[in-house]
Each structure stands twice: as C-alpha cells, then as structure tokens.
C-alpha cells in the first residue's frame, strides 16, 4: 500500500492500539488508553513524519517500548502540572472582586 497521512490509518489500526494498551496495562500502566498510545507515537516516534505505510504504523505500535511510553507520560505530567500551576497562579493571585 502507498504512504498516507497517519491520521487516515487511525480507524483501521485501532485493534493494534487496543492490543498495545492491554499490554501496557499488564505492565502496570493502568492509565493507558488507545488514544494515549496513539498520541505517544505521534510525539515520540513519528515526530512530524506524517506520511507512513500501513505496515510501518502497525510495526511502530507493536515495537513501542514501555520505557518510551513512560517517558511520554512523564513529559505529559510535567506539562499538565505546569498548566495547573499557571492556572492556579492566575486564579490565586488575581484580586478578589467584592460583589
């Protein structure tokens, strides 16, 4: 098959994403989801390479190491903490308006 944008394969390869999610859950990553696996691949493996063949995507899914997934989760956690801290700083430091 020809190369296509990775998003165009997403529906077709859902069973592989689900399989990787189940594998990660068995390894203790209870928060793993098919969407999380997909996002990890987009960020950590494909890094902007948006054109891939079907077999390349499936191979990437099944070869995704738990250490790479953990690294992705760690980065996401830091980014979410930074966002939460930024929101708290805005809310916590904003002047109170009396009504």
């Amino acid at each position: 098959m020809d190369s296509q944008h990775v998003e165009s394969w997403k529906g077709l390869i859902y069973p592989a994403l689900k399989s990787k999610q189940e594998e990660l859950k068995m390894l203790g990553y209870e928060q793993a989801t098919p969407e999380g696996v997909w996002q990890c691949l987009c960020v950590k493996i494909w890094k902007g390479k948006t054109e891939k063949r079907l077999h390349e995507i499936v191979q990437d899914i099944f070869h995704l190491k738990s250490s790479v997934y953990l690294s992705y989760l760690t980065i996401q956690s830091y980014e979410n903490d930074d966002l939460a801290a930024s929101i708290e700083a805005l809310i916590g430091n904003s002047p109170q308006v009396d009504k």
Side-chain angles (χ1 to χ4, degrees):
M1 290 190 161
D2 292 331
S3 293
Q4 293 184 24
H5 192 277
V6 293
E7 284 293 326
S8 67
W9 297 116
K10 190 174 179 182
L12 188 60
I13 53 92
Y14 183 83
L17 293 170
K18 184 72 176 158
S19 176
K20 181 53 79 168
Q21 173 212 7
E22 291 168 2
E23 175 188 331
L24 291 167
K25 281 192 170 196
M26 286 191 301
L27 294 172
Y29 298 98
E30 291 298 320
Q31 72 281 16
T33 63
E35 183 61 30
V37 171
W38 179 261
Q39 291 303 318
C40 175
L41 289 162
C42 289
V43 170
K44 300 294 274 180
I45 304 299
W46 300 327
K47 299 177 188 173
K49 183 177 181 193
T50 58
E51 295 286 321
K52 297 204 68 107
R53 290 187 169 107
L54 177 60
H55 73 274
E56 293 172 322
I57 291 176
V58 173
Q59 179 177 326
D60 289 343
I61 293 168
F62 287 127
H63 286 123
L64 179 65
K65 295 180 180 181
S66 61
S67 60
V68 173
Y69 186 70
L70 176 60
S71 172
Y72 168 76
L73 290 179
T74 302
I75 292 168
Q76 291 301 111
S77 175
Y78 287 141
E79 288 175 357
N80 290 340
D81 285 349
D82 287 347
L83 177 60
S86 297
I87 292 170
E88 181 61 33
L90 288 172
I91 293 172
N93 292 334
S94 62
Q96 295 290 331
V97 177
D98 294 337
K99 292 186 178 182

